[in-house]
Amino acid sequence: MPQLYLDQADKYGPLLNLKVASKRTAAGPVPMAGFPFFQLDRFLKILVQDLNEYVAISEEFPNTKGGDLKSDRRVTRTISPGTLIDEKFMDPYENNFLLAIYPTGADRPPQHVEREALPAELAHGSLPAWQISLPVGLAWLDLSTGDFVTQASTLGTLASAAARIGPREIVMSNGYDDGLKQNILNVLEQQRHILTYHAPQSIEPSLSSWTPMLESEVPHDMHDSFAHVEVAAGSLLLEYVQDRLQNSGIKLQPPVRRQDKETMSIDKNSMRALEVLGTSKEGLGGGKGSLLHTVRRTVTKSGARLLRDWISSPSMSLQVINARLDLVSQLLHSRAFREEITNLLRRSYDSQRLVQKFSLGRGDADDLVSLLRTIEATNGIAAALEKHASRWTGCPADEVDSEALGPSLQSLRGRLSLDRPNVLAKLIASSIDEDNLVESHRIQETETTDIVTIAQEVLHSEGSADDQAAMPRVTRAKPKPKDHVEQEVEAEDTWILRRDASPILEKLHDAIDGLRQDKCILASRLRKVLGVQSLTLRWTPGLGFICHVKGTKDVSASLKISSGARDVKTTKSTRSFHHAEWSSLGSKTDQAKLRIRAEEQRVFQELREQVVVNLVRLRRNAAVLDELDIGCSFATLAEEQGLVRPTLNLSLDHKIIGGRHPTVKLGLEEQGRSFVSNDCLIGEKERIWLVTGPNMAGKSTFLRQNALISILAQVGSFVPAEKAEIGLVDQIFTRVGSADNLFRDQSTFMVEMMETAMILNQATPQSFVIMDEIGRGTTPEDGTAVGFACLHHLYHKNRCRTLFATHFHTLADMTKGFEHLACYCTDVAEGPGGSFSFIHRLRKGVNRSSHALKVARLAGIPEVAIETARSVLESFAVQNASPVEPSERQAAAA
């Protein structure tokens, strides 16, 4: 039974709803609290996942040091949020990443630093200028899958990298300069990451020190490609894991080196504003309403995890993107084939996590069966791929459908390794008795139910209402009535392995069969000798091997005649006695059972070792299944939503015909409304679109949908449009919405300016920028000036594709000399009696009225306030010697 003592019992007992008792000891009373072992996962979830605590697991071992104690206790593992392995409460659809960060100069801080180089207002809420480009090594892993990744980054992009990776825990060395440490904390604080400090043991980190924890060594010719900060971060990470797992022998996949230029960069502000991975608006949980939730049609857990990684890090490789698009095209072309693959994928299990459990020596019989089913599904998928390709074998060239046959499916089939895994599958199938495995689960559930039922009875009589509510509810199945014959048969042991799983095991089972037969013969002989047909041969915890007789017949005289018989217990209706022959036979049977269990453990260990031997092949096969799952998911999505294949190239164009917002469209359809599509043609000719128009007319949606279309295209998905031609985007930046950070002493306008500064400082000609209502957090004059300055910088310095929405209509006049800037707008259609409707389709031109009073009336602003606003608006118009917009006058008078 897991237990808590002393201060921990007082602190965590109430949080876990456990009763804190007091144990008398020589040192005085000791507070303690505990719970049944079968509830360990439940309380670990509360402590580790909900309370973000670290839990040390201490186990008992035989005491080999001498002394009075029979056993010794030592910590076998420390569980933290980032070091979960196979706990049942882990989210199967997300990776459980542990991230280590190592900034260069952590052990050699700068000697001369101008810390006041920036204004106090800016320096208080951001990094000093000298630290923005400070190299930082990143290394992250998922112990449940064995994924291991490294990357060289900078301190200025650390927050965005952390948002993309989504770690459950971050590890840092405790030897950093205090100023640097505080700035790192400031960067990570907004995302509420769990931070752990660890003292590195290695003086000079090296890749060779990683080898014991990897399934294969990093090739020597790749050593020079790793930056020093990456190696330092990776060494810190692996040392921390070894410390937490107490050298458990974990095997990770070889490190994957991720480089900035390999993937599109989506900074943390854009990730949040575009709702790429999740949203919490209107209380929507589970990511509903996010891009990930909208496009996900995966049927496997590992496929869902890979999809999240793809969406947070879209590719910058035309070869990779087109290969993914080819796969989607091929799967979209043949619906029957796609459904066959999807059904086979549903039969597979999460082999990435299954294999990792075996690498830690934690896999059980259920995991072996799951692995068997996955290998069978993989064989089915390989056969389906070959069958699909053979349809076109021998056909005339002009009849071959290149879309259905393409290289992507052939490439995936070529990556599958089946020979050795099939040998493993046969070994598992011939060793595991699945019927007995199911029966053993039933027995365990019955035993657990019995324990919980007893606990509930105790709580019902002695506990409070809160104590009773904390216990899990169980439903006991009504036992089936057993006839007299069944009651006489003693329950046999349930063996998980087949009797022919090994020659030794078969001989042991034959031996125990002989002992059972001897038992039947002995029981029959004793019944005849004693003249009692109710006699049974049993074993009880208190009396051992006994002969049990029911009924009132006196067998004392017969027992005196029988040699080796000794009476041990007598009641009014039963009698129990020892018999030397049965005691000897029972002991032999017990010894045989122990030998069977030992041999089962040996065979089972061999099966585990065979899984580890096939570690690389099984992981590679799993990767193929994950990619197929995403391909089927994208093809299904394209069929459902009428998506089209985008054309990607190295130009700086962004040509979208009939583009739609992937998530807003679905939300409107759920309400019975339709979505208005829009074109977006920006590039060399029109590099910046200045978008004006009324509130609620879709400007922000238009901006966001084009950014999301770029993300989907570079992920390898079809996109919501009639036609799409997109030049690769290296970075996506957004400045939309409003928020403050009062804890960091940052006003709404300050946050807006900091995000704008990031864009103007980092955007390249290959970037895609969307900016919405820049300058609205200050006076109209200042806002107009800031807005123009941003447009001027984006046009002349950054020279990137930009969608810029604003209510400062004078910006259109101020930028007339910008040859590659075009003005577009949305509008309002007036109706009789003051009615109106929004026109969401963009047209070329400038809309100089924001129709704010119409939106105010829709929101329920009192008519008195509407009339006051109209009067003020008219007075402004008189002062500026220009008439009030007719639309606003109608809105106020309606």
Side-chain angles (χ1 to χ4, degrees):
M1 173 183 286
Q3 295 176 331
L4 302 168
Y5 296 98
L6 302 171
D7 294 343
Q8 290 185 346
D10 289 331
K11 180 179 179 180
Y12 296 109
L15 293 175
L16 299 175
N17 204 17
L18 298 175
K19 184 176 181 180
V20 180
S22 182
K23 181 179 181 180
R24 294 182 180 178
T25 68
V30 174
M32 61 177 294
F35 50 86
F37 181 79
F38 67 85
Q39 287 190 311
L40 178 61
D41 271 342
R42 174 191 169 207
F43 289 107
L44 276 179
K45 178 185 183 302
I46 297 173
L47 289 168
V48 178
Q49 204 168 58
D50 300 340
L51 300 177
N52 294 324
E53 296 287 355
Y54 306 98
V55 178
I57 303 295
S58 177
E59 297 183 15
E60 288 189 351
F61 296 88
N63 184 15
T64 58
K65 300 177 181 178
D68 297 332
L69 296 177
K70 295 182 179 179
S71 61
D72 186 22
R73 291 185 180 183
R74 63 175 180 264
V75 174
T76 57
R77 180 187 172 199
T78 302
I79 303 176
S80 64
T83 57
L84 302 178
I85 298 175
D86 62 348
E87 281 68 26
K88 295 178 181 177
F89 54 81
M90 291 178 65
D91 187 343
Y93 299 102
E94 288 192 9
N95 284 101
N96 197 83
F97 282 129
L98 172 69
L99 169 68
I101 62 176
Y102 187 94
T104 187
D107 51 350
R108 297 178 299 277
Q111 299 299 319
H112 303 287
V113 176
E114 296 294 335
R115 296 184 181 271
E116 299 300 327
L118 295 178
E121 294 83 356
L122 183 60
H124 184 62
S126 63
L127 291 172
W130 68 275
Q131 288 185 356
I132 291 177
S133 59
L134 188 71
V136 172
L138 304 178
W140 62 97
L141 59 78
D142 183 346
L143 287 176
S144 69
T145 63
D147 292 322
F148 182 24
V149 189
T150 69
Q151 182 179 1
S153 186
T154 63
L155 199 55
T157 60
L158 177 60
S160 297
R164 169 174 52 83
I165 298 167
R168 289 283 291 120
E169 181 183 359
I170 295 178
V171 181
M172 291 199 310
S173 170
N174 57 6
Y176 298 160
D177 168 66
D178 290 340
L180 179 59
K181 183 188 298 184
Q182 186 57 49
N183 285 324
I184 293 175
L185 291 176
N186 291 342
V187 168
L188 299 173
E189 187 176 31
Q190 292 183 8
Q191 296 169 331
R192 303 179 183 275
H193 291 296
I194 301 166
L195 205 57
T196 305
Y197 291 104
H198 179 72
Q201 300 298 317
S202 57
I203 301 175
E204 189 61 34
S206 65
L207 284 171
S208 58
S209 65
W210 300 2
T211 303
M213 296 183 68
L214 302 179
E215 65 183 29
S216 60
E217 186 178 359
V218 179
H220 287 284
D221 57 351
M222 290 183 60
H223 282 207
D224 292 339
S225 64
F226 286 84
H228 170 74
V229 288
E230 287 180 273
V231 178
S235 299
L236 174 66
L237 181 69
L238 296 183
E239 281 187 15
Y240 178 76
V241 169
Q242 283 182 316
D243 181 66
R244 286 289 185 255
L245 300 186
Q246 296 293 305
N247 300 316
S248 62
I250 187 172
K251 291 296 180 183
L252 302 170
Q253 299 182 50
V256 175
R257 231 187 134 249
R258 184 165 289 179
Q259 300 183 46
D260 289 337
K261 296 187 181 297
E262 291 179 350
T263 59
M264 175 198 292
S265 173
I266 309 174
D267 69 281
K268 65 181 180 68
N269 301 320
S270 301
M271 197 79 74
R272 181 185 65 250
L274 296 175
E275 297 181 326
V276 175
L277 298 178
T279 175
S280 58
K281 291 181 180 178
E282 300 180 5
L284 298 177
K288 185 176 181 181
S290 67
L291 178 65
L292 176 60
H293 182 273
T294 300
V295 304
R296 187 172 65 197
R297 301 291 186 277
T298 50
V299 297
T300 66
K301 299 178 179 67
S302 52
R305 294 196 299 269
L306 182 62
L307 177 60
R308 184 196 183 280
D309 180 59
W310 282 12
I311 285 182
S312 62
S313 305
S315 178
M316 282 291 290
S317 167
L318 285 176
Q319 182 180 358
V320 170
I321 296 170
N322 285 322
R324 294 175 183 177
L325 291 172
D326 288 343
L327 177 61
V328 177
S329 296
Q330 293 155 29
L331 292 169
L332 180 61
H333 179 86
S334 177
R335 183 175 184 179
F337 172 64
R338 183 176 77 246
E339 289 179 348
E340 181 183 4
I341 295 294
T342 301
N343 288 332
L344 287 167
L345 287 169
R346 292 183 193 275
R347 300 178 193 173
S348 68
Y349 289 80
D350 194 347
S351 53
Q352 294 279 16
R353 286 186 168 173
L354 283 174
V355 169
Q356 187 64 8
K357 287 176 67 175
F358 282 100
S359 77
L360 287 163
R362 299 168 66 92
D364 55 23
D366 291 294
D367 296 324
L368 284 172
V369 173
S370 298
L371 205 55
L372 169 63
R373 296 289 171 262
T374 301
I375 296 172
E376 291 173 348
T378 305
N379 277 287
I381 288 171
L385 292 172
E386 292 172 355
K387 179 182 176 182
H388 187 69
S390 67
R391 290 174 50 197
W392 308 101
T393 303
C395 291
D398 58 344
E399 295 182 13
V400 174
D401 193 325
S402 59
E403 282 290 317
L405 187 59
S408 293
L409 287 175
Q410 296 177 358
S411 173
L412 289 176
R413 174 60 187 92
R415 288 166 53 193
L416 288 175
S417 175
L418 297 175
D419 293 341
R420 295 290 294 274
N422 282 339
V423 173
L424 173 63
K426 290 179 181 179
L427 190 59
I428 295 173
S430 63
S431 300
I432 304 292
D433 190 328
E434 294 187 45
D435 292 335
N436 278 359
L437 184 60
V438 172
E439 177 63 16
S440 69
H441 290 324
R442 188 196 63 78
I443 294 172
Q444 289 175 3
E445 289 173 1
T446 301
E447 292 174 350
T448 301
T449 301
D450 291 340
I451 294 173
V452 175
T453 301
I454 294 171
Q456 287 176 342
E457 291 173 355
V458 172
L459 288 174
H460 183 73
S461 59
E462 301 179 12
S464 64
D466 291 339
D467 293 333
Q468 296 177 35
M471 284 296 296
R473 301 297 174 191
V474 294
T475 302
R476 179 184 292 276
K478 188 176 181 180
K480 295 181 180 179
K482 298 181 180 180
D483 56 31
H484 178 73
V485 176
E486 289 178 331
Q487 292 179 15
E488 297 299 327
V489 178
E490 184 180 353
E492 295 184 2
D493 292 88
T494 303
W495 307 109
I496 293 176
L497 295 187
R498 298 181 185 276
R499 61 187 299 153
D500 58 352
S502 77
I504 296 177
L505 203 56
E506 192 167 14
K507 290 180 180 179
L508 290 172
H509 276 287
D510 290 341
I512 205 169
D513 287 344
L515 292 172
R516 288 195 184 102
Q517 188 174 3
D518 292 343
K519 175 186 174 182
C520 292
I521 295 173
L522 176 62
S524 178
R525 179 161 55 84
L526 288 176
R527 290 188 189 108
K528 289 180 180 179
V529 170
L530 299 178
V532 181
Q533 293 302 312
S534 64
L535 182 142
T536 56
L537 303 180
R538 297 182 179 182
W539 179 88
T540 64
L543 301 177
F545 296 101
I546 59 171
C547 301
H548 183 76
V549 176
K550 289 184 179 180
T552 57
K553 182 177 180 180
D554 188 4
V555 294
S556 301
S558 300
L559 286 178
K560 291 179 180 179
I561 299 173
S562 178
S563 61
R566 180 168 56 86
D567 207 356
V568 293
K569 186 177 181 180
T570 303
T571 66
K572 292 182 179 180
S573 58
T574 64
R575 187 164 192 161
S576 300
F577 58 91
H578 284 158
H579 192 279
E581 195 172 350
W582 166 230
S583 297
S584 175
L585 185 61
S587 297
K588 291 178 181 179
T589 303
D590 275 355
Q591 291 298 318
K593 289 180 180 180
L594 289 174
R595 286 194 291 271
I596 288 176
R597 295 194 187 282
E599 178 63 12
E600 278 201 342
Q601 287 297 317
R602 187 192 67 79
V603 174
F604 189 74
Q605 184 59 32
E606 285 185 353
L607 290 175
R608 281 177 169 169
E609 291 171 358
Q610 286 302 309
V611 173
V612 175
V613 167
N614 286 275
L615 201 65
V616 175
R617 299 178 186 86
L618 293 171
R619 280 175 168 164
R620 287 175 181 169
N621 290 349
V624 173
L625 266 58
D626 292 345
E627 291 178 33
L628 267 175
D629 190 16
I630 295 178
C632 291
S633 172
F634 284 163
T636 302
L637 179 72
E639 186 177 68
E640 289 176 359
Q641 304 297 326
L643 310 185
V644 300
R645 175 171 180 157
T647 300
L648 289 105
N649 51 49
L650 298 176
S651 72
L652 299 179
D653 292 329
H654 181 89
K655 299 177 181 178
I656 307 296
I657 305 298
R660 309 181 296 274
H661 194 294
T663 61
V664 173
K665 176 181 178 292
L666 294 181
L668 290 175
E669 288 176 349
E670 288 180 359
Q671 303 171 31
R673 300 163 61 190
S674 59
F675 184 89
V676 177
S677 60
N678 268 301
D679 301 343
C680 182
L681 307 171
I682 55 178
E684 292 291 347
K685 185 178 179 181
E686 295 179 351
R687 204 162 52 237
I688 299 178
W689 274 21
L690 182 64
V691 183
T692 55
N695 295 287
M696 294 291 293
K699 298 191 303 298
S700 296
T701 298
F702 174 73
L703 268 59
R704 286 177 168 93
Q705 78 185 33
N706 282 282
L708 292 174
I709 287 173
S710 294
I711 291 174
L712 283 177
Q714 291 184 220
V715 165
S717 169
F718 283 24
V719 299
E722 296 175 12
K723 184 179 179 181
E725 182 179 335
I726 302 171
L728 286 181
V729 175
D730 65 348
Q731 301 176 87
I732 281 185
F733 293 102
T734 63
R735 163 77 290 279
V736 298
S738 61
D740 55 29
N741 188 350
L742 298 181
F743 180 77
R744 304 300 311 165
D745 195 20
Q746 296 169 359
S747 66
T748 301
F749 185 66
M750 181 62 183
V751 172
E752 179 183 324
M753 289 298 97
M754 289 173 63
E755 294 178 3
T756 302
M758 179 186 294
I759 296 172
L760 299 184
N761 287 322
Q762 298 183 18
T764 71
Q766 206 175 2
S767 301
F768 191 92
V769 173
I770 63 173
M771 304 187 80
D772 192 10
E773 300 185 32
I774 290 295
R776 67 179 173 182
T778 184
T779 65
E781 293 80 5
D782 287 348
T784 301
V786 170
F788 176 77
C790 291
L791 282 170
H792 187 276
H793 198 281
L794 289 166
Y795 186 87
H796 292 285
K797 300 293 184 181
N798 303 104
R799 303 178 66 83
C800 55
R801 289 161 282 185
T802 304
L803 296 177
F804 194 103
T806 185
H807 287 290
F808 298 143
H809 311 124
T810 55
L811 290 177
D813 302 323
M814 300 171 68
T815 56
K816 281 184 178 179
F818 292 8
E819 180 183 356
H820 300 294
L821 181 147
C823 295
Y824 287 81
C825 65
T826 56
D827 212 339
V828 163
E830 305 286 351
S835 63
F836 68 94
S837 61
F838 294 111
I839 300 176
H840 296 94
R841 194 173 304 280
L842 267 70
R843 62 175 175 83
K844 201 154 191 176
V846 180
N847 191 327
R848 298 186 181 275
S849 177
S850 295
H851 300 272
L853 299 187
K854 292 184 176 66
V855 178
R857 177 175 280 113
L858 284 176
I861 298 294
E863 285 299 321
V864 175
I866 296 289
E867 181 62 26
T868 301
R870 184 195 64 79
S871 300
V872 173
L873 194 60
E874 288 181 343
S875 68
F876 286 161
V878 171
Q879 293 174 11
N880 295 329
S882 62
V884 179
E885 292 287 338
S887 59
E888 296 295 357
R889 187 181 294 112
Q890 292 173 9

